Amino acid sequence: MVDANYKFVAVDVGSYRREGDSGIFLKSDLGKKVLNGTFGFPDGNALPGSDTVLPYVIIGDEAFRLDTHIMKPYTRKSAKDDASKAVFNYRLSRARRVTENAFGLLSQVFRVFYQTININPETCDSMILVACCLHNMLREGYLEKNGKVFYNYDSEESRTINNMISIVREGGFNADGFHVRDAFKQFFMNEGAVSFQ
């Protein structure tokens, strides 16, 4: 889990690649707490410039389970025929880019993540956790000292491709999640609309 400043808030290391992000999240302590309601989310808040009060959410991709506190996009098929769903998916995707960019930042500084890491799995798990901690320290410490971030995402940097597996499925059912997603969709089409949409 990554915050808006590209810092890692929660990290789960040691699962197998074949499990996928959603499966790993569901079996993690964090995922279990989110789904059973013991995570400790703050109370819902009004959206900017609106009286609409919605809960805080974690943003995931298509593979994640829709829940009151977990948002995922509408299916591509349903968004293709509904402009408001397409706008919601676009806005959700823009927010999810923060996570992708955090991984990009991590890899630019710790270039070992650009390749297969041929070390003992337990050592590798520790190395990943240490890299995430150092990443957070660099993001936070330099900002406090100099008033600017130590490093930012460089979109010109060449990136590895095919290093993540996309698992696309509808998965999961929570009626409250559907209502929350629809409320966000309405907000993005009305009070939260932007000129370029």
Side-chain angles (χ1 to χ4, degrees):
M1 183 184 292
V2 176
D3 70 11
N5 296 313
Y6 305 100
K7 288 169 44 181
F8 293 96
V9 177
V11 180
D12 184 82
V13 181
S15 295
Y16 294 102
R17 178 179 177 175
R18 69 177 178 270
E19 293 179 74
D21 293 342
S22 178
I24 293 167
F25 177 75
L26 291 174
K27 77 173 194 176
S28 72
D29 289 338
L30 171 69
K32 290 175 186 173
K33 287 182 178 184
V34 168
L35 293 174
N36 70 22
T38 61
F39 179 71
F41 282 100
D43 292 335
N45 213 339
L47 295 171
S50 172
D51 293 331
T52 305
V53 175
L54 289 173
Y56 286 87
V57 295
I58 296 171
I59 299 171
D61 62 17
E62 298 93 349
F64 280 78
R65 173 180 168 178
L66 183 64
D67 187 78
T68 305
H69 293 287
I70 303 173
M71 282 297 101
K72 68 182 239 174
Y74 289 96
T75 62
R76 291 182 185 148
K77 183 178 179 184
S78 68
K80 187 174 119 179
D81 300 325
D82 185 335
S84 62
K85 289 180 180 179
V87 167
F88 172 85
N89 284 359
Y90 171 75
R91 301 283 288 271
L92 192 76
S93 175
R94 291 213 31 172
R96 271 189 17 239
R97 279 195 328 199
V98 173
T99 302
E100 301 300 328
N101 289 347
F103 285 114
L105 285 167
L106 181 76
S107 298
Q108 283 181 344
V109 172
F110 304 100
R111 295 189 177 259
V112 67
F113 296 117
Y114 278 143
Q115 61 197 3
T116 302
I117 304 170
N118 294 316
I119 58 176
N120 180 304
E122 290 78 24
T123 304
C124 187
D125 291 353
S126 297
M127 183 191 70
I128 292 168
L129 288 172
V130 167
C132 290
C133 290
L134 289 172
H135 165 89
N136 285 355
M137 290 171 62
L138 289 171
R139 297 286 305 164
E140 190 172 302
Y142 196 82
L143 176 63
E144 289 175 4
K145 185 176 179 182
N146 299 311
K148 59 183 179 179
V149 293
F150 179 65
Y151 59 96
N152 282 310
Y153 182 73
D154 181 2
S155 60
E156 301 299 316
E157 176 72 29
S158 62
R159 299 184 337 170
T160 57
I161 56 172
N162 298 327
N163 61 342
M164 293 189 184
I165 298 173
S166 176
I167 300 174
V168 181
R169 62 179 174 82
E170 190 58 20
F173 177 79
N174 178 312
D176 290 337
F178 285 101
H179 297 303
V180 171
R181 182 170 64 180
D182 286 342
F184 274 113
K185 178 185 74 165
Q186 291 304 319
F187 173 76
F188 291 144
M189 289 304 292
N190 298 308
E191 300 105 318
V194 291
S195 59
F196 58 84
Q197 76 186 34

